[in-house]
Amino acid sequence: METPETARRDVTDTYNYRHFGPEYYDFKRFDGPRPGDEAPDFEATTLDGNAVSLSDFGGSWVVLETGSLTCPITDSKVQAMDKLSQKFEDVVFILLYTREAHPGENCEAHHSFQDKLERARKFEADYDVERTVLVDDIEGTGHRKYGGMPNSVHVINPDGVVVMRGDWNHVSKVREILERREDDRIYKRDIYRGRPLFFTRKKGAIRVLVEAGPRAVWDFLKNMPVLGWMHLKKEFRSKSSNK
């Protein structure tokens, strides 16, 4: 008979995969709140160990990005997102630390919340992050509520409504929205490209994977053809639906 503790352990083990594979991401659809929906609330932890809720930031514009130390696409957006946070000082910029996108021998899947908290602290230190970093729980409750993608972005207005979402972070679109700051405008297009950069100010895609460990590199290379095909199909469906 399944107990609550057994169910919790199953979710944790499934969510925090040890080997990256396309089966952990649904490229056909993107679950989570759609533009115009109320932003789901969740509880997370600051790097100092304090509990906060997303709703604590109500009344302000919020940019919620997901990411991890082993995500090359997160690496490619850190500097640009920090610059945005400096430009729009009245906006709350949050990076929600999630599961490891490409776990390896040197950067394993999280075995406990303390593992995850320490990894998030390393992320902040490695990248000199200037935004608020919150740590999701070990089961990925907040992450899964917002679609579960490795580097998604949601822009939430002061009324707590999602006005834009991207299955991949799209910095220029986020900038456009914040420059206009139209409370009632909803941005319907919700599919954007996620492309890592081979060279960034701090690391770059190759170094991110190498630092994670040989397993991360091998899992990425092994699945690259499938990932490329999935991305192409997704872009084709997006273009067809927008005609």
Side-chain angles (χ1 to χ4, degrees):
M1 180 177 178
E2 184 180 69
T3 65
E5 181 59 31
T6 301
R8 180 178 182 272
R9 188 163 56 247
D10 288 345
V11 170
T12 301
D13 293 344
T14 302
Y15 176 74
N16 291 298
Y17 53 77
R18 293 186 67 253
H19 289 270
F20 166 76
E23 65 271 20
Y24 293 105
Y25 297 96
D26 190 342
F27 285 77
K28 293 181 181 179
R29 65 179 187 178
F30 178 36
D31 292 329
R34 292 184 174 276
D37 289 349
E38 183 176 347
D41 197 17
F42 62 88
E43 190 174 277
T45 305
T46 68
L47 296 184
D48 293 329
N50 298 315
V52 297
S53 297
L54 182 65
S55 56
D56 293 341
F57 303 99
S60 300
W61 282 85
V62 175
V63 176
L64 176 65
E65 180 189 11
T66 61
S68 69
L69 191 63
T70 59
C71 177
I73 301 180
T74 302
D75 167 81
S76 71
K77 305 295 173 62
V78 171
Q79 185 177 16
M81 291 299 285
D82 275 350
K83 285 183 178 179
L84 273 191
S85 70
Q86 294 166 11
K87 180 177 181 180
F88 301 101
E89 296 182 353
D90 57 334
V91 175
V92 178
F93 283 80
I94 297 171
L95 187 136
L96 180 66
Y97 200 89
T98 68
R99 63 186 170 192
E100 296 303 330
H102 295 278
E105 294 85 346
N106 304 326
C107 208
E108 289 276 2
H110 310 132
H111 298 293
S112 67
F113 178 74
Q114 192 60 36
D115 283 346
K116 196 168 190 174
L117 181 60
E118 291 303 322
R119 202 69 57 74
R121 288 169 175 165
K122 177 174 171 51
F123 174 86
E124 184 196 46
D126 281 5
Y127 286 101
D128 302 317
V129 180
E130 299 182 15
R131 289 162 285 147
T132 298
V133 177
L134 298 182
V135 187
D136 199 7
D137 62 29
I138 193 68
E139 297 89 1
T141 301
H143 189 203
R144 289 184 288 114
K145 282 185 176 182
Y146 281 82
M149 293 294 281
N151 186 232
S152 64
V153 68
H154 291 76
V155 180
I156 304 167
N157 71 16
D159 294 324
V161 175
V162 174
V163 300
M164 173 267 187
R165 74 171 188 177
D167 51 349
W168 301 103
N169 189 359
H170 194 282
V171 179
S172 61
K173 176 58 69 172
V174 173
R175 181 188 299 110
E176 175 192 331
I177 293 168
L178 296 181
E179 287 173 344
R180 296 186 176 188
R181 218 80 66 87
E182 300 169 289
D183 289 352
D184 298 328
R185 181 167 180 180
I186 304 299
Y187 293 78
K188 293 296 184 183
R189 183 168 181 258
D190 60 3
I191 296 178
Y192 301 98
R193 294 181 180 181
R195 289 181 175 175
L197 300 177
F198 286 101
F199 301 100
T200 64
R201 182 172 63 91
K202 288 292 184 179
K203 296 184 180 183
I206 295 175
R207 183 178 168 187
V208 167
L209 295 173
V210 169
E211 286 188 358
R215 187 200 312 148
V217 176
W218 169 245
D219 288 344
F220 181 82
L221 292 175
K222 178 178 66 175
N223 290 293
M224 190 162 56
V226 176
L227 288 171
W229 175 240
M230 291 169 73
H231 277 291
L232 286 174
K233 288 198 297 183
K234 187 171 186 177
E235 287 190 25
F236 177 77
R237 283 195 299 267
S238 175
K239 290 176 180 178
S240 299
S241 63
N242 288 332
K243 285 183 180 180

